[in-house]
């Protein structure tokens, strides 16, 4: 793949530093990759959009899924993952996850993460939706992500890794041959590294997290604006399966007008025996699936949405009053506090819940070693599409995927020879070819996506969404052509422009997939179609900003050198 030539309009870099590897993102995937690269003797720089612990990892409540319990096996974990993925998982990618996962968790514990223990002294394991065994390791009851983030951040600081916080990465730098040569970034408040600058490095690891902020209601933090996917598309990389956005079934309902990040009510609450009920107290998941409330998330989210439609309601309820005060305080203190902060006491009343955008199962397409279709560019964590999740992520596989594939990326980079690369000249910053969107476009994009590409989708809703998204770009383009002006470069305008990019790709993929599968639900194509649609939708960005969309059974990577490796290993998806 070659670069599209599209870049975010930004000032020219005013400073630069050099490294062997630059890791973009500071969640479980990014910090694990950084620590492993540093341990291999590579000069590693971590760049993160806010503070080191401000990403999605910190908000993860449920835990880490791995075959760590007595009687459990990686094969059983693999089977549950394949079922949840609705026929689109890459079996080999899942086998890697399930097989390498237990040791990856043990290494995380050795790094300093403390997981809850049972009364017998081993790990306390629970169940979540789609799992047939108790294999979810958790910390602080429902504060697993916070504990993992704490341990990794402390390890990064203890080992003296260079970090740049409050930095939005803008675009990929490449050399004359199209190989990765670093990134440009905008830093706020870093003293000598303030404003737009560059990190020159022959290997770039994208671990930027998700894109939940493309919807009005999401569990994702405000920084999750799809920056990594947008950067990769502009660099010429391919993305896959972006239509499969997982809507978490049980997010605290704060009212019909609530927007932005919403408090999550972890699946582990249902794993411990909470019931989903309607306003009359009827358990509507009984008979819907053999696991009832513990069915895979797409099934539960659809069942809640259907019941809401039937009852003309904007939420359902999660009833766990039978837990008692002690269990709520010991097992789910974070959720209890969040509910009480909004005037709801789960000890004495059912919790109002509704689905909200939670996790992107698709992303930047990679092989089994995290290599993308751009030489030297890697991706791991939620920004990546490794083939593990298929059409629907199995609960608590995300933290494990971040661990396993970050370690594989570090091993792939360390196995080769790192060579410094000279970035090709950047276009003149005063003459943008493509406009930036105004900051207020962010809210418009979110509403367009929630209305047209949320839990319920159809050809009509997706067509309307695509037309409205195109209109936003057309307006900005027209202003640029008529008077040569675009919105001023800045974090708000860059984020809005990135959101529009990923929104367009998501809508295009959802419109192309004319079936219902996993977390993609088409009202006008209600059935799963394995004859036609057991395929992946791959999208790349053309130089004129149009989208090249195609379907494939087994995407093949070009036989070019990736990362520091002399050969590239194709992955079957």
């Amino acid at each position: 793949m070659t670069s599209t030539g599209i870049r975010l309009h930004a000032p020219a870099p005013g400073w630069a530093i050099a490294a062997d590897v630059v890791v973009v993102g500071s969640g479980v995937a990014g910090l694990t990759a950084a620590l492993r690269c540093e341990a291999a003797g590579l000069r590693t720089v971590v760049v993160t959009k806010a503070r080191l612990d401000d990403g999605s990892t910190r908000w993860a409540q449920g835990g880490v899924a791995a075959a760590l319990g007595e009687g459990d096996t990686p094969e059983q974990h693999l089977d549950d993952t394949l079922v949840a993925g609705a026929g689109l998982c890459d079996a080999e990618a899942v086998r890697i996850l399930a097989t390498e996962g237990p040791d990856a968790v043990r290494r995380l514990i050795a790094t300093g993460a403390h997981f809850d223990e049972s009364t017998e002294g081993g790990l306390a394991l629970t169940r979540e939706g789609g799992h047939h065994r108790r294999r979810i390791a958790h910390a602080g009851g429902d504060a697993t992500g916070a504990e993992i983030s704490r341990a990794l951040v402390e390890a990064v600081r203890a080992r003296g890794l260079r970090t740049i916080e409050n930095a939005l990465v803008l675009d990929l730098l490449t050399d004359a041959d199209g190989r990765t040569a670093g990134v440009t970034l905008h830093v706020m408040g870093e003293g000598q590294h303030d404003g737009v600058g560059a990190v020159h490095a022959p290997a770039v690891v994208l671990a930027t997290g998700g894109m939940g902020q493309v919807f009005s209601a999401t569990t994702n933090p405000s920084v999750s604006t799809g920056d990594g996917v947008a950067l990769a598309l502009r660099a010429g990389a391919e993305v896959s399966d972006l239509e499969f956005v997982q809507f978490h079934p049980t997010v605290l309902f704060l009212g019909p007008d609530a927007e932005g990040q919403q408090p999550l009510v972890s699946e582990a609450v249902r794993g411990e025996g909470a019931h989903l009920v309607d306003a009359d107290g009827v358990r509507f998941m009984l008979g819907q699936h053999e696991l009832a409330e513990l069915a895979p998330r797409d099934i539960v989210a659809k069942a809640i949405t259907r019941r809401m439609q039937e009852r003309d309601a904007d939420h359902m309820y999660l009833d766990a009053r039978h837990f008692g005060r002690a269990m709520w305080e010991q097992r789910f203190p974070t959720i209890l506090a969040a509910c009480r902060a909004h005037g709801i006491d789960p000890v004495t009343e059912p919790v109002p819940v509704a689905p909200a955008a939670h996790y992107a199962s698709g992303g930047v397409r990679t092989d089994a070693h995290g290599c993308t279709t751009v030489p030297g560019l890697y991706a791991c964590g939620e920004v990546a599409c490794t083939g593990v999740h298929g059409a629907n992520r199995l609960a608590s596989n995300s933290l494990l995927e971040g661990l396993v594939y970050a370690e594989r990326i570090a091993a792939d980079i360390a196995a080769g020879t790192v060579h410094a690369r000279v970035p090709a000249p950047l276009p003149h910053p005063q003459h943008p070819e493509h406009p930036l969107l105004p900051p207020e476009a962010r809210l418009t994009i979110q509403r367009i996506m929630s209305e047209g590409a949320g839990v319920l989708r159809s050809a009509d809703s997706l067509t309307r969404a695509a037309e409205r998204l195109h209109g936003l770009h057309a307006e900005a383009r027209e202003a640029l052509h008529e008077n040569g002006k675009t919105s001023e470069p800045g974090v708000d305008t860059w984020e809005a422009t990135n959101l529009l990019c990923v929104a367009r790709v998501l809508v295009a993929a959802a419109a192309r997939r004319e079936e219902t599968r996993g977390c993609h639900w088409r009202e006008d194509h209600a059935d799963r179609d394995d004859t036609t649609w057991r395929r992946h939708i791959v999208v790349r960005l053309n130089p004129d900003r149009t989208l090249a969309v195609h379907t494939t059974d087994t995407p093949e990577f070009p036989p070019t050198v990736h990362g520091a490796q002399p050969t590239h290993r194709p992955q079957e998806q």
Side-chain angles (χ1 to χ4, degrees):
M1 290 293 161
T2 58
S3 173
T4 64
I6 302 171
R7 310 187 70 83
L8 289 174
H9 178 46
W15 53 270
I17 60 175
D20 297 324
V21 184
V22 56
V23 176
V24 186
S26 60
V28 61
L31 295 188
T32 299
L35 287 167
R36 299 295 180 266
C37 285
E38 186 270 343
L42 299 167
R43 293 178 302 159
T44 304
V45 174
V46 177
V47 175
T48 187
K49 193 172 178 180
R51 297 176 303 175
L52 280 180
D53 63 349
D54 272 346
S56 293
T57 292
R58 180 164 66 92
W59 298 96
Q61 295 174 346
V64 183
L68 295 162
E70 184 177 352
D72 198 5
T73 65
E75 197 69 27
Q76 294 176 67
H77 187 187
L78 179 147
D79 289 344
D80 284 346
T81 301
L82 294 180
V83 169
L88 282 188
C89 294
D90 174 354
E92 182 56 30
V94 179
R95 190 174 301 280
I96 288 169
L97 180 86
T99 303
E100 298 182 10
D103 282 344
V105 173
R106 295 182 184 105
R107 284 188 288 273
L108 177 62
I109 293 171
T111 301
H114 302 292
F115 288 90
D116 296 339
E117 296 185 352
S118 66
T119 55
E120 292 79 23
L123 287 175
L125 301 175
T126 189
R127 277 182 67 193
E128 292 185 0
H131 293 273
H132 283 79
R133 284 192 174 272
R134 298 180 76 90
R135 65 168 66 96
I136 316 300
H138 49 84
D142 59 357
T144 308
E147 171 58 18
I148 290 174
S149 182
R150 179 205 63 77
L152 291 174
V153 168
E154 285 190 6
V156 163
R157 288 174 172 157
R159 298 180 191 181
L161 267 73
R162 187 166 191 172
T163 62
I164 303 177
E165 296 182 283
N166 301 308
L168 172 63
V169 169
L170 303 176
D171 280 302
L172 189 73
L173 293 170
T174 56
D175 66 12
D177 297 322
R179 292 185 57 90
T180 294
V183 294
T184 56
L185 65 162
H186 176 266
V187 185
M188 296 172 290
E190 284 285 327
Q192 62 176 331
H193 296 319
D194 199 10
V196 175
V199 179
H200 295 163
V204 173
V205 181
L206 291 180
T208 52
M211 55 184 187
Q213 288 291 324
V214 79
F215 294 97
S216 294
T218 178
T219 63
N220 290 191
S222 61
V223 294
S224 297
T225 51
D227 307 316
V229 171
L231 176 152
L233 283 162
R234 289 192 295 271
E238 293 181 343
V239 302
S240 182
D241 299 347
L242 217 64
E243 68 271 30
F244 296 116
V245 176
Q246 189 174 68
F247 287 77
H248 198 288
T250 53
V251 174
L252 186 62
F253 180 73
L254 301 180
D257 298 323
E259 293 180 317
Q261 186 178 9
Q262 315 284 304
L264 176 67
V265 182
S266 171
E267 196 151 331
V269 178
R270 282 176 282 136
E272 296 292 352
H275 302 147
L276 280 166
V277 298
D278 59 22
D280 296 326
V282 177
R283 284 185 65 189
F284 55 87
M285 282 306 301
L286 295 176
Q288 298 271 350
H289 189 275
E290 61 168 328
L291 296 177
E293 281 89 356
L294 284 176
R297 289 178 176 176
D298 63 305
I299 294 173
V300 180
K302 291 172 187 176
I304 292 174
T305 303
R306 286 194 187 102
R307 197 68 164 191
M308 286 163 56
Q309 290 177 325
E310 293 169 0
R311 296 302 179 93
D312 192 24
D314 49 19
H315 64 280
M316 290 287 113
Y317 295 92
L318 190 65
D319 191 354
R321 289 174 290 180
H322 55 285
F323 283 6
R325 184 178 304 278
M327 181 173 176
W328 268 110
E329 291 177 346
Q330 295 169 15
R331 180 68 178 86
F332 301 111
T334 306
I335 299 171
L336 178 64
C339 289
R340 286 176 170 171
H342 292 282
I344 301 157
D345 189 351
V347 177
T348 60
E349 60 186 314
V351 178
V353 294
H358 182 56
Y359 191 89
S361 293
V364 184
R365 191 165 68 87
T366 74
D367 71 0
H369 301 271
C371 302
T372 74
T373 50
V374 175
L377 178 65
Y378 295 81
C380 58
E382 190 174 355
V383 71
C385 182
T386 63
V388 161
H389 304 307
N392 188 47
R393 175 182 66 102
L394 181 64
S396 286
N397 268 355
S398 51
L399 292 174
L400 189 71
E401 183 196 31
L403 284 172
V404 169
Y405 282 88
E407 291 188 341
R408 292 178 73 83
I409 285 173
D412 197 71
I413 297 172
T417 303
V418 174
H419 298 290
R421 303 188 183 281
V422 179
L426 295 174
H428 196 286
Q430 299 305 315
H431 297 88
E433 295 182 14
H434 302 282
L436 294 172
L437 264 63
E440 58 268 22
R442 176 173 180 151
L443 185 60
T444 304
I445 293 167
Q446 291 171 334
R447 290 175 176 171
I448 290 171
M449 294 298 290
S450 293
E451 293 169 8
V455 176
L456 303 179
R457 301 168 178 175
S458 68
D460 288 344
S461 75
L462 292 165
T463 297
R464 288 194 300 270
E467 290 172 347
R468 294 174 69 189
L469 292 172
H470 176 74
L472 288 176
H473 175 69
E475 290 175 10
R477 186 81 173 171
E478 184 177 343
L480 177 62
H481 283 169
E482 287 186 353
N483 54 35
K485 292 184 179 180
T486 183
S487 296
E488 287 297 317
V491 173
D492 290 343
T493 56
W494 289 322
E495 286 184 333
T497 304
N498 284 339
L499 282 171
L500 178 62
C501 179
V502 297
R504 291 179 59 222
V505 175
L506 194 162
V507 168
R512 176 67 68 92
R513 184 171 292 280
E514 296 180 335
E515 66 159 354
T516 290
R517 181 188 297 271
C519 51
H520 170 70
W521 186 6
R522 286 285 297 265
E523 292 183 284
D524 51 345
H525 296 281
D527 298 323
R528 171 170 155 175
D529 180 2
D530 281 340
T531 301
T532 305
W533 287 108
R534 194 167 182 174
R535 298 167 65 81
H536 302 273
I537 295 177
V538 179
V539 184
R540 57 182 173 80
L541 190 64
N542 292 322
D544 62 357
R545 285 194 178 239
T546 59
L547 302 177
V549 184
H550 70 278
T551 61
T552 179
D553 293 316
T554 307
E556 295 181 358
F557 281 80
T560 54
V561 179
H562 280 60
Q565 292 298 312
T567 59
H568 184 61
R569 313 173 183 85
Q571 176 199 19
E572 184 172 307
Q573 291 201 37

